[in-house]
Amino acid sequence: MREEENNRSSKSEEKLNVKNLLRKRWVLPAVYLVAAAGVLSAVFVMQGGDESAAPEDSVEVTDPNYTGDMNPYGEDAVAVTASSEVVKMPVVDEEEVTVVGYFYDVNSSPEEQQEALVYYNNTYFPNKGMDFAHVDGESFEVAAALSGTVVRAEKDSLLGYVVEISHEDGVVTHYHSLENVEVEEGATLEQGEILGRAGRNSYNADAGIHVHFEIRYDGVAVNPNDVFQQPIDSVRDIVDEQEKEEEKPAEEEDGKEDGTTDEEEVTPEENNDEGEDEEEQSEIG
């Protein structure tokens, strides 16, 4: 009997101890952590014993939906191109130069058109570019307005030293009235590289020491002032817009009151020279 009573009392004491233990806040979290550690250990042991659970070295896993260099529609992937280069002025320091010749715009006012004429050989010619001179009348370094390839670098008897640079998308920049050239035909240039120094020429002697700068797209001249600080793509857009305007019937019939266009010379008086410079004049402007 005493043994039974002792057993009962010991069991009741154990239950009481367990209850007291469970009342402590740290006991249950500790039990959960121990249980979780046991489960994870069992999982690691099972995976370690099964070598087929992990792929062998050099085993290539192929995605059945992978199309290589093709996009989901089966077309070749096209890399994203960087933004087009921005057109800069053809000088090293913009603050040191001033404009002495403007682009002849058929849509500008008569006063502006008059300022954009070049007088040569008793004839007025529309300026196909812009002319820049130093504020002090001195010579200055002429720089490439865009990166590209030199397609012409030589001395012209009328225009002075000339440099032409071909760029992307059919754009060509022209630099006239240079005193010298520091580049060769075929050379690849970065934007801002020195081409030579500004000088004088026979065609626009009134401008003094200057550089004549043109931008052309497929041979069509564009007002440089419209594309400075603009992407090179804007040159093509401007020419496309000009061509659309020229296709309008009203403009084709009306034209200018004096019958001239921006491709013709404007002659205020009789030209007594009998076309001796016609071949040279065809390249002017």
Side-chain angles (χ1 to χ4, degrees):
M1 293 294 292
R2 288 184 176 179
E3 292 181 359
E4 292 179 359
E5 292 178 358
N6 292 333
N7 291 333
R8 290 176 182 175
S9 63
S10 63
K11 290 181 179 180
S12 61
E13 289 178 359
E14 290 178 358
K15 292 180 179 179
L16 182 61
N17 292 333
V18 171
K19 290 180 179 180
N20 292 332
L21 186 62
L22 292 176
R23 288 177 182 175
K24 297 182 178 180
R25 295 181 178 179
W26 57 270
V27 174
L28 289 178
V31 173
Y32 292 149
L33 289 175
V34 172
V39 173
L40 291 175
S41 299
V43 173
F44 290 150
V45 171
M46 293 177 63
Q47 289 184 347
D50 187 5
E51 296 181 355
S52 63
E56 298 179 359
D57 294 340
S58 73
V59 175
E60 182 178 357
V61 180
T62 304
D63 184 354
N65 296 323
Y66 178 69
T67 57
D69 294 333
M70 308 286 285
N71 63 23
Y73 301 98
E75 300 177 354
D76 292 339
V78 178
V80 178
T81 57
S83 58
S84 297
E85 195 172 46
V86 172
V87 182
K88 301 290 186 181
M89 290 180 62
V91 297
V92 175
D93 190 347
E94 298 180 8
E95 296 182 356
E96 293 184 352
V97 298
T98 184
V99 179
V100 294
Y102 294 89
F103 180 85
Y104 186 92
D105 188 347
V106 295
N107 297 318
S108 61
S109 65
E111 294 77 10
E112 292 174 332
Q113 290 180 350
Q114 185 174 357
E115 292 182 358
L117 295 175
V118 178
Y119 186 72
Y120 169 72
N121 196 22
N122 203 33
T123 303
Y124 285 92
F125 293 91
N127 195 347
K128 299 298 181 64
M130 293 182 67
D131 301 293
F132 300 93
H134 195 278
V135 292
D136 295 329
E138 303 173 352
S139 181
F140 56 93
E141 290 182 323
V142 177
L146 291 163
S147 301
T149 303
V150 179
V151 294
R152 183 185 180 191
E154 61 185 13
K155 184 175 183 179
D156 185 274
S157 59
L158 183 63
L159 305 176
Y161 279 96
V162 173
V163 174
E164 296 179 9
I165 303 177
S166 176
H167 312 282
E168 61 181 72
D169 205 19
V171 176
V172 178
T173 51
H174 299 239
Y175 310 78
H176 300 171
S177 189
L178 298 178
E179 184 180 67
N180 66 319
V181 292
E182 299 181 9
V183 296
E184 296 180 354
E185 184 176 338
T188 300
L189 304 179
E190 296 293 331
Q191 185 180 54
E193 287 196 41
I194 304 303
L195 307 179
R197 299 187 65 85
R200 302 176 183 270
N201 63 17
S202 301
Y203 171 60
N204 192 1
D206 294 339
I209 300 175
H210 72 287
V211 60
H212 176 78
F213 176 67
E214 295 182 9
I215 300 179
R216 293 176 178 260
Y217 173 76
D218 285 348
V220 180
V222 174
N223 187 349
N225 208 36
D226 290 341
V227 295
F228 283 143
Q229 306 303 324
Q230 300 295 324
I232 189 175
D233 296 340
S234 63
V235 178
R236 177 188 57 193
D237 296 337
I238 291 175
V239 172
D240 291 343
E241 189 66 25
Q242 290 177 353
E243 292 178 350
K244 291 179 182 180
E245 292 293 330
E246 292 175 357
E247 291 175 357
K248 293 182 179 180
E251 291 187 1
E252 289 180 355
E253 293 180 1
D254 295 341
K256 296 177 63 177
E257 294 181 357
D258 59 0
T260 62
T261 68
D262 64 332
E263 298 294 333
E264 299 174 347
E265 69 270 19
V266 182
T267 309
E269 56 186 274
E270 290 291 334
N271 185 357
N272 297 323
D273 296 332
E274 299 179 355
E276 59 184 14
D277 296 321
E278 289 182 359
E279 294 182 0
E280 290 182 343
Q281 294 177 4
S282 64
E283 299 179 358
I284 293 176

